[in-house]
Amino acid sequence: MRLSDAIEEFIKTMMEQEEAEIELKRNDLAQYFGCAPSQINYVLSTRFTPDHGYVTESRRGGGGCIRIIRIERESGEFLQFLLEERIGDAISPRAAQILCSKLAEQGAISQRTAQVMCAAMAPESFSVPIPEALKDRLRAKMLRNMLTTVARHRATSGEG
Amino acid sequence: MRLSDAIEEFIKTMMEQEEAEIELKRNDLAQYFGCAPSQINYVLSTRFTPDHGYVTESRRGGGGCIRIIRIERESGEFLQFLLEERIGDAISPRAAQILCSKLAEQGAISQRTAQVMCAAMAPESFSVPIPEALKDRLRAKMLRNMLTTVARHRATSGEG
DNA sequence: ATAATTTAATAGTCAAAGATGGTCAACTCG
DNA sequence: CGAGTTGACCATCTTTGACTATTAAATTAT
């Protein structure tokens, strides 16, 4: 298993046991895993971003530490946030995938629907000769359109 | 016996013993057979396609690997029909929409999933300055990708 | 005592190196 | 000619290390 995955899992386990907020010492954690301290930053920046549903804070100097906070958001609220603020007019395949996973995790859409959405937005679906920037714009429009559909039917029918 | 055939057989044997899904390291397999790593890609792209009843995924970078998944016979046939007879390499929004509706009627996918798929392929999702012909090609790629995803997960996840 | 300075303990950034897999065009062989 | 094979080059993800920034504690100067 990748080191990064192990560290991610370790942190998530800590957060389950304790609360939606933990503090840790970067150097201690690095020593525990026998890796460079900056590895911890890598894990945080690739797996504990706002898109993943987390925010982090830190303080340097003696007694300094890193705080990781899980954002508790209702799925409707999250959907609204995505449509109004997050998506914008361009999005990468990776970011789109992370957001879909999050929606599924929250129960806003089924695992299945998330996978279908990711498939639609995956790079392989875009193997035609147009600039990458245009692909990101197309993806944003598609995602927006799909999520609007989800939101519309969310009110009336149950989950999905 | 040709190398490609040997590799194909090797992989299929692995899949019999284990489950309908295996992971392998491209470089390890290539080394085992004493061939170029890209030979593995050749085998995958000629013998483990959706038409043959398989889909593949991969991940690059440290700890990366290739995953090969066998799809069910039913899904395979269903897919083969759609992919070969119906979709082609370009499709209109209208035709795509009708196809999704039919799939939902037949219970192959949920109403919800059909709506999301239609939203992804709707004309509004394509309001960027590229030729219409290109849009139809993009739509076909997207649809193929979404359907292989559906077929792949038909086995594992219940509803759809 | 208080202020200023130094030291030690933290964390952050960034670029390079390492570890995978992908693509494609040229070459080979039946 | 066509399926198979290879290798050069590319893309992506992970890991590390050197250098930087910040803060609390300890020390020194007034």
Side-chain angles (χ1 to χ4, degrees), chain A residues 18-36:
Chain A
E18 313 197 10
E19 278 318 293
E21 179 173 333
I22 60 166
E23 273 186 15
L24 50 83
K25 298 277 192 181
R26 188 180 76 150
N27 289 347
D28 290 355
L29 195 54
Q31 188 150 34
Y32 177 79
F33 281 101
C35 65

Side-chain angles (χ1 to χ4, degrees), chain A residues 91-97 100 114-128 132 135-136 138-139 142-143 146, chain B residues 57 120 138 141-146 148-149:
Chain A
I91 193 165
S92 70
R94 180 79 182 120
Q97 190 238 305
C100 290
Q115 283 157 346
V116 168
M117 288 174 59
C118 286
M121 298 186 289
E124 310 90 64
S125 295
F126 285 81
S127 55
V128 294
E132 287 302 314
K135 295 181 186 178
D136 287 350
L138 254 168
R139 214 182 331 263
M142 285 173 37
L143 181 53
M146 289 190 284
Chain B
E57 303 171 345
L138 254 168
K141 284 176 190 293
M142 282 173 38
L143 183 51
R144 281 169 180 282
N145 216 21
M146 288 192 284
T148 52
T149 299

Side-chain angles (χ1 to χ4, degrees), chain B residues 2-4 35 38-39 42 47 59-61:
Chain B
R2 276 191 299 280
L3 219 200
S4 290
C35 65
S38 56
Q39 179 72 24
Y42 176 72
R47 294 148 158 87
R59 182 169 178 181
R60 305 185 192 188

